[in-house]
Every structure is written in structure tokens, then in C-alpha cells.
Amino acid sequence: MAYTITLYKDGQSADITDLVSNLSWSENMDTVGLSLNFTVPDISDRYITRLLITAGDIVTVNNDEGELIRAVVINVSRSYPKRTVKASDYGFYLNKSDIVIQFTGQGVSECLKSLFSKVGVTVGTICDMPAEVEKVYIDNVKNIIDDLIEIQSGNDGKEYYYELRGKAIYVFQLTNDVIDYTFKPAENVAAFDVTDKNARSRGKYTHSIESLKNRVTAVVGSKTSGEMPSKQYTVSDDESISKYGLLAENYTVNSDDENNIESVAENELKEKNTLKRTLTMDFIGHDNARPGRVMHIEDEYLGINGNYRIESTNHKINGGIHTMTCTLKGI
């Protein structure tokens, strides 16, 4: 697949594809936004265009299907004979902006729409998230988004995620469905799946009980310091306790959710009562590989055959060859 890089500066655009080298981009489920990096020549030469890229310029990366990445330049480092550029998609503004905002009985979906409107982020789609919010926030925008999503997840036990696509943000429920990672190198070459054993590295696989919890006690805090919780509820998995030993967690429940304390505890146990399985592999690059999405991986040596959610990606293009490293977790 061919990629085109365009620079937008001072109201003008320029195709800089031929001048860009060491192009890479990365994403992680723990942080909102994509980081884009590349270098360009920074010399005075009659045969080489000198790109005076500066912070605040806009860069886009297009593939054969259209715009893949839109990013603002946030850092430029000059060291002869090159200029190293770091850019971020519009998640940069969510990470760096603080806000004061109040929600009074609105559903999470409406709260998110109101929040995005106040910080100037275009909404693509937001799935139905009806849990009501009564809260005042004086915080970073990303922290508020994460907390609102946590409120909904605590209410219905489902997982949600959000991603930037161009200037627009999309909020959706995570699924376990495997998406398509078919790659066709050329017209005369057969298409193949990049997750196939012949298109990826062996990989590194680990599993651990270090973060496992098999007993959860949900508590609503007392209004008076030093007193027992005003309400508590405990749920356990006896089979897991017998196998791994007791690993208990106290989980604080917001007073607004105390009527749902049982379901909150059960949802927390469901999330934590599992082996943490992590897989790191190198693949032929594919633009569909983004955090939150799912791959099916089979590997006889590692003894795995199942679905894994992408936690982070690091894409690189060198010499026209697109590769990527993905860290995945077992579902």
C-alpha cells in the first residue's frame, strides 16, 4: 500500500512524501491519541527542498483509501543534516486541556457530547450510554472522559473505548469480534492475513496472576472518618481461591451507585478474576491494527489459539516496507 504525506503550513499544502524518512506512528489503550514521528532533510542544497516544518503545522498521512492520520506538529528537533518531527493527532488537546464542567442527571452519552462540544472536538458517533451522572468536574479532559466511561461500565459491566479518526472522536462498546487484516501486496500476488504464522514473528507470550482478584468487597464509605463503611457487599469465586489462593480487593463505590452495589461488585470480580495473558508480536503492517481491536492468533509453540485484544501498536515504514509491533492481551 502506498502512503502520501502532506504538510499544511501558512494556508498552503505540499506533498512531502519523497522527503520523509523513518515514518512511524504508535498508539496505546492507556493514553488517548496517536503519536506520529518522521525525519526530513534540513540542509541547503539546490537539489533538495528544505522543509521549514515548525510546531503547530498540520501533517496528514493518506493511504489508498483516503486520510489515515491527521496530526498537529508538537515538537521539532534540528540536528544537521535532518529535522526530526513529532506530531500528535487531536487527542493531544484532550490530554493537555483542563476544564470545569457540571452534569446534572444527564446520561453518559449526553455528558460526553457536551464535554466534546466545550473543548471543540467533533463527534463522529457515541454509542448509547444511559447511566446518569450527577457530578462536578474540575479536571483534565481525558480524566473526565475516562471517569464517565467508568461510570457506564460500572453500571452495566460492559467495556467501552474511544478513538480519534481524523478530527472526529468515536466512542463505542468494545466487542470480541475479529476484524479483517487481509493484505494484498500487489495485483499479481495473492492476498493473505497478516496474522498468519508466515506473516509474523514467533512472538513473546506471558501469563500472570499478579493482578488477579478472586474476592471483591464493594464498599460505600462512611460519612464519618474512622467508622465502618455505611454499606458493603462481598462476592467471591471459590474455585479460583482454591486454585490460586485468596486474592482480595476492596472496591469503593460512589454513593450514587450504592443501590447497584451488588452488580458493581460482580462486574469488578468478573473483570479482575482472570489470568493476565500478554502477547507481543511483529507483523507485516496493516492499517486496521489499532488499540481496542481484536486479532485471532494461533501458535503451536506458544500453545495459544484464541482472540487477543490489541493494547498498543507501533507502525514503521522503512524503504517502502510497512511493519508493526503489537502488544495484545487475551480475551
Side-chain angles (χ1 to χ4, degrees):
M1 181 175 289
Y3 294 87
T4 303
I5 300 92
T6 304
L7 172 67
Y8 295 86
K9 183 181 181 69
D10 300 329
Q12 297 183 330
S13 64
D15 185 336
I16 62 172
T17 307
D18 293 340
L19 296 168
V20 168
S21 58
N22 301 313
L23 179 67
S24 67
W25 63 92
S26 59
E27 294 181 276
N28 192 306
M29 284 194 75
D30 292 334
T31 58
V32 60
L34 174 149
S35 179
L36 176 72
N37 298 272
F38 59 89
T39 60
V40 293
D42 194 12
I43 58 177
S44 298
D45 189 290
R46 63 183 297 184
Y47 299 108
I48 299 176
T49 302
R50 189 178 187 185
L51 295 174
L52 302 180
I53 300 177
T54 57
D57 294 343
I58 302 297
V59 176
T60 62
V61 179
N62 283 49
N63 60 18
D64 296 340
E65 298 176 355
E67 186 173 290
L68 177 66
I69 300 168
R70 177 172 288 267
V72 57
V73 175
I74 60 174
N75 185 287
V76 179
S77 174
R78 300 180 64 190
S79 179
Y80 186 86
K82 63 184 179 181
R83 188 176 296 223
T84 301
V85 179
K86 179 180 180 181
S88 174
D89 70 8
Y90 286 75
F92 171 77
Y93 297 101
L94 302 181
N95 282 310
K96 296 295 183 179
S97 298
D98 294 339
I99 194 172
V100 178
I101 193 168
Q102 180 178 16
F103 302 117
T104 54
Q106 300 155 272
V108 171
S109 298
E110 293 305 312
C111 293
L112 288 170
K113 289 178 184 177
S114 177
L115 176 63
F116 295 143
S117 174
K118 285 183 177 295
V119 296
V121 175
T122 302
V123 173
T125 58
I126 298 177
C127 65
D128 183 37
M129 304 169 77
E132 290 190 1
V133 181
E134 289 276 354
K135 203 165 184 179
V136 174
Y137 289 98
I138 306 174
D139 205 344
N140 173 266
V141 173
K142 178 190 180 300
N143 293 341
I144 298 172
I145 298 169
D146 291 343
D147 190 69
L148 290 171
I149 289 176
E150 181 63 27
I151 290 172
Q152 183 63 46
S153 294
N155 183 270
D156 61 18
K158 299 175 182 178
E159 290 185 278
Y160 298 88
Y161 189 59
Y162 55 101
E163 66 182 23
L164 273 294
R165 303 172 195 167
K167 281 188 173 182
I169 193 166
Y170 293 76
V171 185
F172 49 90
Q173 182 184 335
L174 286 176
T175 74
N176 294 341
D177 298 335
V178 178
I179 67 171
D180 180 45
Y181 297 100
T182 302
F183 175 63
K184 187 173 176 60
E187 287 295 327
N188 59 343
V189 179
F192 60 89
D193 192 315
V194 302
T195 64
D196 183 82
K197 64 180 181 180
N198 296 316
R200 57 171 172 79
S201 68
R202 174 73 72 184
K204 177 183 179 181
Y205 173 69
T206 61
H207 66 272
S208 168
I209 64 169
E210 291 177 291
S211 59
L212 184 146
K213 301 295 181 182
N214 45 33
R215 175 176 293 171
V216 172
T217 299
V219 298
V220 178
S222 172
K223 294 182 180 180
T224 304
S225 177
E227 292 188 356
M228 288 292 288
S230 59
K231 191 173 185 179
Q232 61 179 302
Y233 178 81
T234 299
V235 59
S236 305
D237 183 337
D238 293 336
E239 184 177 344
S240 175
I241 293 172
S242 176
K243 183 173 183 178
Y244 300 118
L246 176 62
L247 296 162
E249 174 190 64
N250 292 334
Y251 184 79
T252 301
V253 177
N254 188 298
S255 59
D256 295 336
D257 293 326
E258 64 177 294
N259 293 331
N260 298 320
I261 192 170
E262 293 89 352
S263 61
V264 169
E266 290 165 359
N267 288 337
E268 180 70 5
L269 179 67
K270 180 180 178 181
E271 179 181 343
K272 297 291 182 64
N273 186 28
T274 182
L275 288 176
K276 182 178 181 180
R277 298 179 292 135
T278 304
L279 181 65
T280 302
M281 280 185 166
D282 297 328
F283 302 85
I284 291 174
H286 200 291
D287 295 338
N288 284 347
R290 297 191 66 182
R293 301 179 184 182
V294 177
M295 288 181 167
H296 183 83
I297 305 292
E298 296 182 33
D299 192 288
E300 184 177 352
Y301 171 76
L302 296 176
I304 58 176
N305 182 357
N307 292 351
Y308 289 77
R309 190 176 312 284
I310 301 172
E311 287 197 308
S312 66
T313 59
N314 186 8
H315 294 256
K316 294 181 179 180
I317 299 178
N318 283 316
I321 298 175
H322 182 186
T323 59
M324 64 184 182
T325 300
C326 297
T327 300
L328 309 100
K329 69 175 181 178
I331 298 176

